[in-house]
Amino acid sequence: EVQLVESGGGLVQPGGSLRLSCAASGFTFSSYYMIWVRQAPGKGLEWVANIKEDGSEKYYVDSVKGRFTISRDNAKNSLYLQMNSLRAEDTAVYYCARDPPPELGDAFDIWGQGTMVTVSS
Amino acid sequence: EIVMTQSPATLSVSPGERATLSCRASQSVSSNLAWYQQKPGQAPRLLIYGASTRATGIPARFSGSGSGTEFTLTISSLQSEDFAVYYCHQYNNWPPWTFGQGTKVEIK
């Protein structure tokens, strides 16, 4: 079964750090772009970051540039999001998702269940 | 940045009726447009990609159309499990990848 499972969320104070993980199974992880998308409470979806199959290219939404770092370990079938200097506005459910190549559709076809990050004092 | 605008914000429909959701892009995204369904407490689920191709396992009552800047998701006969929030998403011009603000389909 193709599956993504996030972990690492929790309550953190403003200015703090958190590292999210996403464990992939059931597919060839190293063949896919991977992404992080977040959803603030009661709000819509916001793309946060993504990373190329080999980790050579990374992109970030402007609001997290310089604070968040996306990475992956293809040997461990895992995706990560290191979040530093957290702000209240980073409070959200964070989803990892798979981004197939254009010839397979190029939309985000598999999503994890999400992990909640709450930034509050 | 391409802005995606969905309408209406809320759609009230009776079971068995047809639902039509709209999504407009601030500039052309060709056919690089996807639709997702999200139920409360769940992750989004891919319904449509390439503007009109159903994802694996998606029932035929879901259909997508459009290209350029105007797109439509149609649910031909609403079932109880279809009441949810629907998002459009463009992946033509990136970064950033952008989503619409969502349309909530509720029971009338």
Side-chain angles (χ1 to χ4, degrees), chain A residues 3 7 15 19 21 24 34 41 44-45 48 53 60-61 69 73 80 82-86 93 110 115-117 120:
Chain A
Q3 197 172 10
S7 60
R19 188 196 196 205
S21 299
M34 295 296 296
L45 302 171
V48 174
E53 297 92 331
Y60 300 91
V61 68
T69 301
D73 185 335
Y80 307 100
Q82 177 67 43
M83 304 186 295
N84 298 329
S85 303
L86 282 161
V93 175
I110 303 295
T115 187
M116 182 71 204
V117 172
S120 175

Side-chain angles (χ1 to χ4, degrees), chain A residues 51-107:
Chain A
I51 185 168
K52 197 176 178 181
E53 297 92 331
D54 61 1
S56 61
E57 294 180 18
K58 305 175 184 181
Y59 302 93
Y60 300 91
V61 68
D62 285 348
S63 60
V64 309
K65 282 180 182 175
R67 300 189 299 123
F68 290 12
T69 301
I70 189 172
S71 63
R72 64 192 296 161
D73 185 335
N74 287 343
K76 295 183 177 180
N77 292 332
S78 292
L79 175 72
Y80 307 100
L81 186 67
Q82 177 67 43
M83 304 186 295
N84 298 329
S85 303
L86 282 161
R87 306 167 180 167
E89 54 265 34
D90 296 318
T91 295
V93 175
Y94 285 73
Y95 297 100
C96 66
R98 187 178 81 168
D99 182 7
E103 60 269 27
L104 295 180
D106 209 14

Side-chain angles (χ1 to χ4, degrees), chain B residues 20-85:
Chain B
T20 303
L21 290 66
S22 296
C23 176
R24 173 177 293 180
S26 60
Q27 63 189 78
S28 177
V29 298
S30 186
S31 294
N32 295 312
L33 188 286
W35 291 94
Y36 301 86
Q37 176 193 68
Q38 188 178 34
K39 297 179 182 179
Q42 295 186 17
R45 177 175 71 145
L46 177 65
L47 298 176
I48 301 285
Y49 64 91
S52 60
T53 302
R54 279 189 301 278
T56 303
I58 301 304
R61 64 180 181 272
F62 291 93
S63 63
S65 63
S67 66
T69 61
E70 300 284 343
F71 300 89
T72 300
L73 175 69
T74 301
I75 311 171
S76 59
S77 177
L78 271 159
Q79 307 298 302
S80 58
E81 61 267 29
D82 300 335
F83 293 96
V85 179

